[in-house]
């Protein structure tokens, strides 16, 4: 049985209808995948102390100070994502391949002098895809009595429905915006949308005594559950860099980062169910099923600053170490989402009765629930060390830390949303280790290998607390990722003007997926894999 982690007061969350985010959206948008030039990827992203690659302006801006000539490069390739899910012995697989444009950038290097303290002043720009959201996922299996309808019923009870009039008032509320719209009227601010859409499609029922006081609110026993999702979009990062070289031993850099976020999710959850209802000595055997479809889009922009330095402490040694600090990314975001529920209920063998509820019918004129907010990611700290061995081999190792639990979600007035508390309680500090090697095979050709490890960002028993963090959302599913690893290798060619690199990356991690929140629901064990083939073409002059 899962331990409840989030100790949040539901009553506080219900003070406003505009409670629309959880730690899971924040976690996804804080992701930073290994991507960039093929040389950078082939070395596992471990180049923060070596520099002289366009992608280093996003890890250690001082790396651009290593350049002594102009450089232009573009990268593209293919991504193949795979998920294998095991739910109570029932296994499913999904596979998706898509082309990807991953990077384009340049460095303009200006030589100041050979004997001056300031040797080079460099300017750079680089675009790369920071996060790739494209993925499909599918899971199904036996629920053994657990049901999303119990979650809906519990939320109805916690929302304070105490009498038959209260409950029937929810069922009878009109769809006209001026006629107690149940999804916008103040009378229903305390009722999460997931509970409301369930009650209004017959999935939640209540018994009451002769005085009209509710004695029981109940759902159904789940038989089988089936979940499908399709995710699309990504985070595009645009870096503008200024860096300089002091006496070929001290390198400093500043990068202004701009971010463009776009995320789309379509998910569908279906459930078959049953229940036995007792009326005196008579038992009624009811059967039913329902399907809940969700559409969610998030769009926004962000900005941050990155400061870095690389120092060669010994004048005649190639050993160097690097330090970098990244400010939080300040995101301004807009969510749009809607949902549709259909159910079929057969009471004691009678012909099934169908119900439907579409949230698009209740929101005008956008036809979606629209929510504006902001997100502030954590500070990031990077330390690295590297060297050149025998003039033919470059080595780099680095460590990065980011305290995910310090991220914040805020409304447009700057006040913390209730989900900020769930972030601080369930997300963790994330440790990232990278190591990479590049060795010359000939004067023109190089071989590269790299490894990247990132620790788990969330506690094992975290869950989506809809009542406290996102009661206007009807997405009940959530996934708790484990640690993530990536291995990569690559080949490079560097001619007098033209250079070309190719890299292959395999990253993988496991996660626990839940279709909804129920202490009796067994986790779906998921293995996530991504294969990436990346090609970079460039010129230096």
């Amino acid at each position: 049985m899962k331990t409840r982690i989030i100790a949040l007061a539901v009553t506080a969350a219900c003070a406003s209808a505009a409670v629309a985010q959880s730690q899971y959206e924040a976690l996804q948008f804080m992701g930073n995948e290994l991507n960039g030039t093929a040389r950078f990827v082939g070395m596992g992203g471990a180049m923060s102390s070596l520099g002289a690659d366009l992608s280093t302006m996003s890890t250690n801006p001082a790396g651009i100070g290593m350049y002594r000539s102009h450089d232009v490069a573009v990268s593209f390739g293919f991504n193949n994502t795979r998920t294998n899910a095991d739910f109570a012995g029932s296994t499913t697989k999904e596979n998706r391949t898509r082309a990807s444009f991953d990077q384009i950038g340049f460095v303009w290097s200006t030589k100041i002098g050979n004997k001056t303290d300031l040797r080079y002043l460099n300017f750079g720009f680089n675009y790369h895809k920071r996060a790739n959201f494209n993925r499909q996922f599918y899971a199904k299996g036996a629920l053994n009595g657990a049901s999303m309808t119990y979650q809906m019923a519990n939320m109805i009870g916690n929302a304070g429905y105490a009498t038959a009039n209260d409950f029937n008032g929810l069922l009878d509320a009109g769809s006209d915006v001026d006629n107690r719209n149940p999804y916008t009227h103040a009378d229903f601010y305390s009722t999460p949308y997931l509970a409301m859409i369930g009650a209004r499609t017959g999935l939640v029922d209540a018994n009451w005594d002769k005085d009209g006081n509710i004695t029981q609110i109940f759902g159904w026993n789940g038989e089988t559950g089936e979940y499908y999702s399709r995710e699309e979009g990504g985070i595009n990062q645009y870096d503008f860099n200024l860096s300089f070289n002091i006496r070929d031993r001290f390198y400093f850099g500043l990068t202004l980062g701009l971010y463009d976020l776009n995320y789309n999710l379509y998910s569908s959850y279906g459930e078959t169910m049953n229940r036995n209802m007792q009326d005196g000595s008579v038992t009624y055997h009811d059967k039913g099923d329902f399907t809940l479809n969700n559409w969610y889009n998030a769009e926004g922009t962000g900005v941050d600053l990155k400061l870095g330095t690389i120092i060669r402490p010994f004048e005649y040694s190639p050993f160097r170490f690097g330090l970098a600090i990244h400010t939080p990314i300040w995101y301004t975001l807009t969510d749009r989402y809607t949902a549709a529920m259909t159910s079929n209920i057969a009471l004691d063998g009678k012909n099934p009765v169908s119900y439907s509820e579409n949230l698009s019918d209740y929101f005008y004129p956008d036809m979606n629930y629209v929510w504006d907010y902001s997100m502030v990611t954590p500070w990031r700290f990077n330390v690295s060390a590297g060297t050149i061995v025998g003039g033919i081999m470059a080595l780099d190792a680095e460590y990065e830390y980011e305290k995910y639990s310090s991220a914040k979600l805020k409304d447009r007035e700057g006040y913390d949303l209730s989900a900020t508390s769930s972030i601080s309680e369930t997300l963790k500090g994330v440790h990232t280790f990278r190591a990479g090697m590049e060795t010359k095979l000939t004067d023109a050709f190089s071989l590269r290998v790299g490894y990247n490890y990132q620790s788990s960002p969330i506690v094992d028993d975290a869950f989506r607390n809809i009542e406290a963090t996102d009661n206007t959302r009807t997405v009940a599913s959530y996934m708790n990722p484990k640690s993530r690893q990536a291995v990569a290798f690559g080949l490079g060619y560097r001619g007098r003007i033209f250079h070309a690199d190719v890299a292959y990356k395999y990253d993988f991690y496991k996660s626990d997926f839940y279709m909804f929140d129920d202490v009796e629901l067994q986790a779906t064990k998921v293995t996530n894999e991504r294969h990436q083939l990346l090609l970079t073409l460039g010129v230096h002059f």
Side-chain angles (χ1 to χ4, degrees):
M1 182 178 294
K2 292 177 292 177
T3 303
R4 287 296 180 243
I5 298 295
I6 304 176
L8 297 177
V10 174
T11 54
C14 295
S16 169
V19 180
Q21 275 292 352
S22 75
Q23 72 272 40
Y24 289 97
E25 285 71 35
L27 175 61
Q28 182 159 34
F29 298 158
M30 285 190 287
N32 181 23
E33 299 175 6
L34 171 59
N35 200 15
T37 66
R39 183 184 179 213
F40 181 81
V41 171
M43 293 185 67
M47 296 192 68
S48 291
S49 65
L50 297 174
D53 186 273
L54 288 166
S55 291
T56 60
M57 70 177 72
S58 68
T59 56
N60 186 345
I64 304 303
M66 293 281 186
Y67 274 96
R68 298 189 177 190
S69 62
H70 313 311
D71 190 23
V72 180
V74 61
S75 305
F76 49 89
F78 294 90
N79 281 277
N80 172 259
T81 56
R82 304 179 184 183
T83 58
N84 299 305
D86 184 346
F87 179 41
S90 179
T91 59
T92 58
K93 297 182 180 181
E94 282 292 330
N95 190 329
R96 192 177 194 187
T97 301
R98 295 193 64 170
S100 178
F101 181 78
D102 296 282
Q103 176 272 330
I104 186 170
F106 71 88
V107 168
W108 187 267
S109 181
T110 303
K111 185 175 182 178
I112 305 301
N114 291 323
K115 298 185 180 297
T116 59
D117 285 344
L118 178 61
R119 304 288 169 85
Y120 284 87
L121 179 64
N122 298 337
F123 301 90
F125 165 79
N126 192 52
Y127 156 82
H128 83 276
K129 183 163 286 186
R130 177 184 175 89
N132 188 335
F133 296 137
N134 295 304
R135 189 182 72 152
Q136 291 186 148
F137 177 70
Y138 179 65
K140 68 175 182 178
L143 294 174
N144 299 318
S147 173
M148 186 186 291
T149 63
Y150 285 133
Q151 184 178 11
M152 298 171 180
N154 289 336
M155 288 189 290
I156 289 289
N158 292 337
Y161 287 83
T163 68
N165 287 337
D166 294 337
F167 189 73
N168 289 329
L170 172 62
L171 304 185
D172 296 336
S175 62
D176 184 85
V177 291
D178 297 321
N179 184 25
R180 295 185 78 232
N181 181 336
Y183 299 95
T184 60
H185 197 280
D187 288 352
F188 306 106
Y189 277 3
S190 65
T191 309
Y193 282 12
L194 180 62
M196 198 178 306
I197 201 172
R200 289 170 64 84
T201 52
L203 302 178
V204 177
D205 287 312
N207 288 331
W208 48 82
D209 59 24
K210 61 181 181 179
D211 297 321
N213 297 314
I214 290 178
T215 58
Q216 183 184 17
I217 298 175
F218 52 91
W220 295 69
N221 299 317
E223 295 178 348
T224 62
E226 187 171 6
Y227 178 89
Y228 168 80
S229 66
R230 181 179 67 250
E231 297 168 277
E232 296 177 334
I235 301 176
N236 299 312
Q237 181 172 338
Y238 306 86
D239 287 327
F240 300 84
N241 178 270
L242 170 65
S243 56
F244 46 95
N245 170 344
I246 304 295
R247 294 184 295 180
D248 293 327
R249 290 186 58 191
F250 305 95
Y251 306 85
F252 301 93
L254 169 68
T255 295
L256 170 68
L258 302 179
Y259 301 83
D260 173 26
L261 184 152
N262 183 57
Y263 174 70
N264 288 285
L265 167 70
Y266 165 72
S267 67
S268 180
Y269 174 72
E271 184 176 311
T272 60
M273 54 197 186
N274 66 73
R275 68 183 179 194
N276 296 325
M277 302 297 294
Q278 197 74 27
D279 186 4
S281 60
V282 179
T283 301
Y284 297 96
H285 304 281
D286 301 337
K287 301 282 287 184
D289 64 77
F290 71 87
T291 300
L292 173 61
N293 295 316
N294 282 283
W295 295 266
Y296 169 52
N297 167 258
E299 294 181 335
T301 57
V303 62
D304 76 344
L305 284 173
K306 310 172 189 70
L307 299 169
T309 184
I310 298 173
I311 298 173
R312 289 199 304 114
F314 311 108
E315 184 174 2
Y316 298 106
S317 171
F319 172 79
R320 75 286 306 270
F321 64 88
L323 300 171
I325 299 175
H326 300 197
T327 71
I329 303 173
W330 289 274
Y331 277 111
T332 299
L333 299 166
T334 298
D335 284 358
R336 287 180 171 84
Y337 46 90
T338 189
M341 174 87 84
T342 59
S343 64
N344 300 286
I345 296 173
L347 301 178
D348 199 33
K350 295 179 181 178
N351 292 331
V353 177
S354 297
Y355 300 87
S356 65
E357 184 86 342
N358 192 330
L359 265 61
S360 295
D361 296 335
Y362 298 88
F363 296 107
Y364 305 91
D366 193 274
M367 312 305 289
N368 292 277
Y369 187 96
V370 181
W371 172 243
D372 295 324
Y373 64 103
S374 61
M375 181 174 76
V376 183
T377 70
W379 289 80
R380 180 181 298 180
F381 305 93
N382 179 288
V383 295
S384 58
T387 191
I388 309 296
V389 180
I392 63 170
M393 180 181 292
L395 301 172
D396 183 282
E398 58 192 76
Y399 166 74
E400 197 167 83
Y401 178 73
E402 195 170 3
K403 189 178 180 182
Y404 276 30
S405 59
S406 66
K408 297 182 183 299
L409 292 171
K410 298 176 177 288
D411 63 24
R412 283 298 172 87
E413 283 71 44
Y415 295 101
D416 284 355
L417 298 175
S418 56
T420 296
S421 295
S422 67
I423 289 172
S424 65
E425 293 178 7
T426 62
L427 299 191
K428 302 191 295 186
V430 174
H431 307 272
T432 301
F433 300 91
R434 305 186 189 105
M437 181 274 292
E438 177 183 58
T439 185
K440 285 187 176 181
L441 302 176
T442 68
D443 287 342
F445 290 93
S446 298
L447 172 69
R448 306 173 183 116
V449 295
Y451 174 74
N452 192 305
Y453 170 86
Q454 187 177 83
S455 64
S456 172
I458 193 168
V459 298
D460 290 341
D461 293 321
F463 69 104
R464 184 187 288 274
N465 191 342
I466 291 177
E467 295 173 83
T469 62
D470 53 350
N471 72 342
T472 58
R473 294 284 299 279
T474 56
V475 175
S477 60
Y478 58 96
M479 189 174 293
N480 294 336
K482 311 295 184 180
S483 61
R484 185 168 188 160
Q485 300 180 71
V487 292
F489 67 87
L491 294 170
Y493 166 79
R494 187 174 180 89
R496 188 174 64 88
I497 295 177
F498 175 75
H499 61 91
D501 303 281
V502 64
Y504 166 76
K505 180 192 71 174
Y506 170 62
D507 72 56
F508 53 96
Y509 65 99
K510 296 183 181 295
S511 54
D512 291 337
F513 172 76
Y514 298 90
M515 300 180 186
F516 51 89
D517 177 43
D518 190 304
V519 293
E520 302 300 334
L521 181 65
Q522 181 176 336
T524 301
K525 300 297 182 180
V526 184
T527 300
N528 305 272
E529 300 175 294
R530 173 168 287 164
H531 302 264
Q532 182 180 16
L533 184 64
L534 188 64
L535 175 66
T536 298
L537 302 175
V539 293
H540 52 91
F541 54 95

